[in-house]
Amino acid sequence: MYKQERIKPYGDGGEKKEQVEQMFDTIAPTYDKLNHRLSWDIDKIWRRKAVRQLMPDRPQHILDVATGTGDFAILAASKLHPVHLTGVDISEGMMDIGRMKARHAGLGGVIDFSRQDCTEMSFDDNSFDAVISAFGIRNFQDLDKGLREMCRVLKPGGHLSIVELSAPKRFPMKQLFHIYSHTFLPFYGRIISGDSKAYDYLTATIEAFPQGEQMMEILRKAGFRRASFRRLTFGICTMFYAEK
């Protein structure tokens, strides 16, 4: 078990996935506002970089795992022009916002959202040309199982593109990020979202999530090859890329 799998939003009672669903349903109305403000809108740049990696492949059927409010799904659909994109998540509260945003973007006929346990999805093997995910996999109750599922539903030769928050390792960003993530982020998140636990949990999972080369080994173990990673914005975010 990886460190972040032991961290739950609301303590030891109940399974992690149930608590994560409850947490995201609770903070869904304020999630986008907080996410963009707390990252100074840099999260939008990170997603664009991840989408650009997939442009040479021109994937026609895309799966967005832990889609949340659909930002990554909408960006991928608008830039890659797939025939169809499916966003999956355990939080209906988050996806309800994603559905509304997709309709407003004129992508309601391209994107659909489905409530799924991302570690046990209902799709057939080899269903998608590309699998993407932004800021979600560290919330998996079982990371290995979730990545194996992502590999299973991906077609041979298809690509995985993940964007995930990470803890910087070098001075002075390591120290600055620690201060920011342990003081301002949970305080501001608590005031805006009204959830006193959510942003403490998010900070804890960022610090506990497997980094760099460790994550490469986890991806290879899940069935991927040619795994690589790139640290962005002084290590605050890491972009992972792999092939089935």
Side-chain angles (χ1 to χ4, degrees), residues 13 26 39 52 105 164 167 184:
T26 299
S39 70
R52 279 200 294 270
E164 190 53 85
F184 179 77

Side-chain angles (χ1 to χ4, degrees), residues 76-88:
S78 63
K79 297 297 184 183
L80 299 173
H81 308 292
V83 172
H84 190 259
L85 188 151
T86 299
V88 297

Side-chain angles (χ1 to χ4, degrees), residues 134-159:
F135 316 124
I137 65 171
R138 74 178 189 281
N139 298 308
F140 285 177
Q141 182 168 295
D142 187 328
L143 178 61
D144 286 333
K145 189 175 180 182
L147 291 172
R148 286 196 301 269
E149 274 292 274
M150 293 163 82
C151 187
R152 180 186 68 79
V153 302
L154 186 62
K155 294 178 181 178
H159 287 96

